[in-house]
Amino acid sequence: MKTEELIALSDKCIMNTYRRFPIVLVRGDGARVWDSDGKEYLDFVAGIAVCSLGHSHPAVINAISRQVEILTHVSNLYYIEPQIILASRLVKHSFADKVFFCNSGAEANEAAIKLARKYAHENMEGDKYQIITMENSFHGRTLATVTATGQKKFQVGFDPLPEGFTYVPFNNISAIEKAITESTCAVMVEPIQGESGIRIPADDYLPQLRKLCDDKGILLIFDEIQSGMGRTGTLFAYEHSGTQPDIMTLAKALGNGYPLGAMLATDKVASAFVPGNHASTFGGNPLGMAAGIAVIDTMLDDGVLDNCKEIGSYFLKRLHNLKERHAVIVDVRGKGLMLGMELSIPGDDIVKNIMVKGIFINCTNGNVLRFVPPLIVDREDVDRVITVLDEVLGSS
Ligand SMILES: *Cc1c(COP(=O)(O)O)cnc(C)c1O
C-alpha cells in the first residue's frame, strides 16, 4: 500500500488517541530507522526510551527467535525457566528481593499500588490506603495510574476517579511532610520526572524522602519505568542517590521493544501478596522473559552503561554550548542519556523541522525537547543532532 493510502486507512480504522507524524516506519537498525519512502532518520526518541540497545539488536533478536521456536506461552500455572532467570538477575542487581512480571508500565504501577495498599491493610495500624504522588508526575493511563498521575489534563472526562491519591509539588520535602495523614500508606515518585520535562530533584531529596517515610512508617515507591534500565548511566536511577525504595516499577527499556513490565519489592513488602491476590495472563511469559534476559545481560556486560555515561555528559556539555548561542533555550538538564532542553517557545515546530532533516527528537510538556536516544549512540550521532538543532533554532 502507498504511504498516503496507509495513513488514510489508519485514520479510518484506528481510534483517534494519538497525534501522529505523517510517516510510516518500516525498519530499524541501531540508532537508525527508515520510513516507507526509504528515508533514513537518526532516532533520538528510541520508541520513547524503550529501544535502549538500539533497534534490531542482535542479542535480542537471537533470544526472541530462539525462544519462539521452543516455547512461547504456557501461563503462570507452571514454573517458567526464563522468568526465574530474569527475576534472579533483577534481584541480584537491585535493592529488591522479589519480582512480579506484567506487560506495561501502567500495569506495573497498578501492581505497586495494589501491593502498597495490601501491605498497609495487613501491617500498618489504622486504615491506611492513601498514596501521595507528585504534581507533574506521570504514572500511566489506567484509572488508578492516571489518578496517581499528578496532572489534571490526563484525568478530565474520566470521573469518578478512584479515591486515595493526594498530590504535592515535586522536590519539596516539607510539602510531603504536611500531606501525610493517618490514612497515608505510601509516597510514589519518579527519581527523575520524565513526561513533565526531565525534572531532576535536589541531591538530598530522595535521601530525605527515604528518611521521612521511615520515620512515618510508610512505603516509598520509585517509578523507574522511564529512568530505569540504564537510561541515566546506572542500571537504576535511584543508585545515584544512595537510597533505595520499598517498591520499584520498570517497563519501557526492560524488553527493548518487547512489551514487558515489572514490579519489584523487598521481601517484607512483597510478602503481602499471596496466591490469588494479583495476576496477569501474559506476565512473565517465556518469550518476553527471553527478551528481558538478553537486554539486562547486554546492558551489564557490553559497556552500554559506560557509553551512556560518557556520551550523556558529552551531549549535555554540547547542549550547554547551544544554550549560550540561542536565547530561546531556558535550561538544559538531565542525567546519562535522559536529557531535556527547556525552551521559552513551544517545541512542536522545532521537532517537525528537525524531522524533515532526518532526526527524531520529542517534545514533552509543550516546551521541553527530550532526548532519550538508544544508549549505544556515539559522539558523531550527538554532533549531528547538535548541528541540526543549531540550524533549526537559527537566530532564535
Ligand atoms: C511511560 C511511563 C509510564 C507508563 O508506561 P506504559 O507502558 O505506557 O503504561 C509510567 N510511568 C512513567 C514514569 C513512564 O515514563
Side-chain angles (χ1 to χ4, degrees), residues 79-291:
Y79 287 95
I80 296 167
E81 188 176 358
Q83 184 182 121
I84 301 162
I85 294 172
L86 181 55
S88 63
R89 293 275 207 287
L90 288 169
V91 163
K92 180 173 172 206
H93 295 284
S94 75
F95 75 96
D97 303 306
K98 292 269 186 343
V99 186
F100 174 84
F101 288 109
C102 52
N103 317 283
S104 69
E107 268 178 277
N109 283 337
E110 283 276 342
I113 292 163
K114 286 179 71 177
L115 179 62
R117 284 192 179 177
K118 184 93 182 348
Y119 178 82
H121 289 317
E122 288 169 3
N123 297 280
M124 294 178 187
E125 275 176 32
D127 182 20
K128 298 200 190 330
Y129 58 87
Q130 185 196 60
I131 297 178
I132 297 173
T133 68
M134 306 304 136
E135 289 170 8
N136 298 309
S137 58
F138 185 81
H139 299 297
R141 302 292 201 136
T142 61
L143 272 176
T145 59
V146 87
T147 308
T149 294
Q151 301 192 60
K152 261 268 161 299
K153 69 178 180 202
F154 294 119
Q155 298 169 346
V156 283
F158 302 118
D159 301 308
L161 297 172
E163 274 180 55
F165 294 90
T166 294
Y167 316 105
V168 297
F170 185 52
N171 195 22
N172 183 334
I173 290 290
S174 64
I176 300 178
E177 206 164 353
K178 283 192 203 110
I180 293 174
T181 68
E182 55 194 26
S183 347
T184 307
C185 73
V187 175
M188 181 158 158
V189 63
E190 298 157 80
I192 296 177
Q193 288 191 331
E195 296 304 301
S196 65
I198 317 291
R199 293 175 205 239
I200 304 178
D203 286 346
D204 59 356
Y205 178 65
L206 295 179
Q208 284 185 16
L209 180 51
R210 177 72 269 178
K211 185 169 182 307
L212 179 62
C213 289
D214 289 342
D215 290 349
K216 302 281 182 182
I218 60 178
L219 299 176
L220 179 56
I221 306 170
F222 285 167
D223 177 343
E224 290 239 24
I225 289 166
Q226 190 161 153
S227 61
M229 296 311 292
R231 178 54 53 193
T232 67
T234 49
L235 194 56
F236 307 110
Y238 74 75
E239 294 171 42
H240 298 287
S241 71
T243 53
Q244 299 185 338
D246 301 295
I247 301 175
M248 172 173 76
T249 52
L250 300 174
K252 291 205 163 83
L254 186 55
N256 206 57
Y258 190 98
L260 279 189
M263 187 271 288
L264 293 76
T266 59
D267 256 330
K268 185 172 147 215
V269 176
S271 66
F273 269 177
V274 297
N277 289 158
H278 196 54
S280 163
T281 297
F282 295 129
N285 89 27
L287 193 54
M289 296 297 102

